[in-house]
Amino acid sequence: MFVGRAWRRGIGPAVVTVRGADVVDITTREAPTMRDLLEQEDIPGFVESIPGEVIGSLDGLAQASVEATGGITRLIAPVDLQAVKACGVTFARSMVERVIEERAGGDPARAEAIRARVAEVIGDSLRDLVPGSDEAAEVKRLLQKEGLWSQYLEVGIGPDAEVFTKAQAMAAVGWGASVGLHPISQWNNPEPEVVLAVDSSGRIVGATLGNDVNLRDVEGRSALLLGKAKDNNAAASLGPFIRVFDDSFSIEDVRRMELSLTVQGEDGFVLEGQSSMSEISRDPADLVAQARGRHHQYPDGFVLYCGTMFAPVLDRDAPGQGFTHHLGDVVTISAAELGSLTNTVRLSTEAPEWTFGAGALMRNLASRGLL
């Protein structure tokens, strides 16, 4: 069962589901928002009980959503009032790349030599470590002795996960939209991730795909620039829909999920990669528990990017320079269980501005008699 959101011409945002080849509006007074829908005790049963209204074919809406502007009917991000959170450094492979970014100070030209040095000392020693374990503490001691300890390794194999705010509620973009790069960045990449949907009680209710757009040079200069590296206009992509947990899909399927990524450039460049959730260093349920508990609550629920093992190193522009985006790149993230999420890379200053926030949503729903 897939649920999501669409913008309807002349009406505004609608909660939708997919039935066969059609997208169906299931917005009701009981669940006028995705936040309310995901709070239902029996989400599949609730969705099935709503007759709804067909607003278009899935293929037609998908085509209309590609870098759509104005008020046309189109798919939008499948979340609304939920907080958009993310965990980083959850895979050994990307953890090593974060260390390299830090050592290179955001300079891709220095990364290749540092990568060779780090690989010589670390190798695959981090791959099977359980974060926070006695074995992880011993690896930390050895790395410190070699002068290679890093704040990224601390959150990668230490007891505490990195949890940060990826975007404001209502700021994420959906299938077909532009994704934005801050114009100060010259070294950046997509991050294909599974994103968990969590209700206000901490119950994991489903999953979707996400692109945690990353500015490697900005974060590499200083971890204190994480907010600037991660939270920019159109920099959080989610979709195309949330697949709700039911008898045919559960957290166990998420733990086994295989993601693929393709970047197709206007220059003919093609990059392909994979990310396997089976190689994650921290269990997805543990990431949720570290994000929400007695220490932190989310009354409107939240979605949580789970991190990625994908860190592209293939040279694009010059030997030793590694990969970075070009404007116009088309990024597609896919998983057999969740479909495909496609976006086009633009500058954050060129992507449509985010103007429809929580206040606008409440006024719109009130005007439609849904509140």
Side-chain angles (χ1 to χ4, degrees):
M1 173 172 285
F2 291 98
V3 295
R5 296 171 66 240
W7 184 274
R8 297 188 63 183
R9 182 193 295 271
I11 296 176
V15 180
V16 301
T17 190
V18 179
R19 291 176 180 163
D22 295 325
V23 177
V24 180
D25 184 345
I26 55 169
T27 312
T28 63
R29 283 185 60 88
E30 188 174 358
T33 66
M34 183 59 71
R35 178 267 178 204
D36 295 308
L37 178 65
L38 297 186
E39 290 291 313
Q40 301 297 317
E41 182 176 351
D42 176 12
I43 300 171
F46 179 82
V47 171
E48 290 172 353
S49 72
I50 303 171
E53 175 190 356
V54 175
I55 62 171
S57 70
L58 179 57
D59 287 346
L61 261 66
Q63 292 175 18
S65 303
V66 177
E67 295 199 282
T69 58
I72 68 171
T73 300
R74 64 190 187 277
L75 299 175
I76 55 178
V79 297
D80 41 45
L81 298 177
Q82 293 92 340
V84 183
K85 308 292 287 188
C87 288
V89 203
T90 55
F91 287 81
R93 190 177 303 175
S94 63
M95 176 166 48
V96 172
E97 282 298 311
R98 296 293 87 77
V99 176
I100 292 165
E101 287 171 14
E102 181 184 43
R103 296 274 164 173
D107 181 1
R110 298 177 55 204
E112 188 172 25
I114 297 170
R115 187 174 293 114
R117 166 63 177 148
V118 171
E120 177 184 334
V121 176
I122 297 178
D124 289 333
S125 63
L126 303 178
R127 189 169 300 279
D128 298 321
L129 277 184
V130 177
S133 66
D134 291 342
E135 292 81 3
E138 176 62 15
V139 170
K140 176 179 178 178
R141 186 187 69 79
L142 292 173
L143 290 171
Q144 286 175 321
K145 183 178 178 181
E146 290 285 341
L148 283 173
W149 187 248
S150 161
Q151 55 204 332
Y152 293 105
L153 291 168
E154 178 64 47
V155 296
I157 66 176
D160 300 309
E162 178 190 24
V163 183
F164 59 92
T165 297
K166 174 60 182 176
Q168 299 295 307
M170 301 285 295
V173 298
W175 196 99
S178 303
V179 288
L181 302 173
H182 196 293
I184 65 172
S185 175
Q186 301 299 315
W187 186 23
N188 41 67
N189 64 268
E191 292 193 345
E193 304 189 19
V194 172
V195 183
L196 301 175
V198 187
D199 73 5
S200 61
S201 71
R203 177 182 60 145
I204 307 172
V205 297
T208 188
L209 296 170
N211 185 353
D212 179 12
V213 181
N214 182 44
L215 311 183
R216 300 190 70 177
D217 48 358
V218 175
E219 186 178 351
R221 282 161 46 203
S222 170
L224 297 180
L225 293 173
L226 180 67
K228 184 176 284 292
K230 291 291 190 179
D231 185 6
N232 300 292
N233 181 45
S237 175
L238 295 167
F241 301 95
I242 293 170
R243 184 170 178 181
V244 176
F245 286 169
D246 57 16
D247 292 340
S248 67
F249 182 64
S250 71
I251 190 66
E252 292 303 321
D253 295 287
V254 171
R255 292 184 173 114
R256 296 188 295 266
M257 199 169 290
E258 300 284 334
L259 276 66
S260 63
L261 174 136
T262 302
V263 178
Q264 295 180 307
E266 293 179 338
D267 57 353
F269 178 87
V270 176
L271 174 72
E272 295 181 336
Q274 289 75 40
S275 185
S276 175
M277 286 295 288
S278 65
E279 294 193 34
I280 197 168
S281 302
R282 299 181 189 272
D283 186 76
D286 176 60
L287 296 177
V288 170
Q290 294 219 27
R292 186 222 172 268
R294 187 62 188 88
H295 62 287
H296 202 317
Q297 296 79 50
Y298 298 90
D300 294 315
F302 64 102
V303 291
L304 183 66
Y305 286 78
C306 289
T308 184
M309 65 181 284
F310 179 72
V313 298
L314 179 66
D315 289 335
R316 182 174 195 175
D317 296 318
Q321 292 290 306
F323 170 85
T324 193
H325 271 307
H326 287 191
L327 300 183
D329 282 352
V330 176
V331 180
T332 299
I333 299 166
S334 302
E337 301 87 346
L338 299 176
S340 296
L341 173 62
T342 298
N343 300 99
T344 303
V345 175
R346 305 294 180 193
L347 294 178
S348 290
T349 48
E350 295 176 352
E353 289 189 354
W354 172 43
T355 59
F356 195 91
L361 175 63
M362 294 300 103
R363 289 189 291 272
N364 175 274
L365 294 175
S367 72
R368 293 158 58 187
L370 292 167
L371 293 182

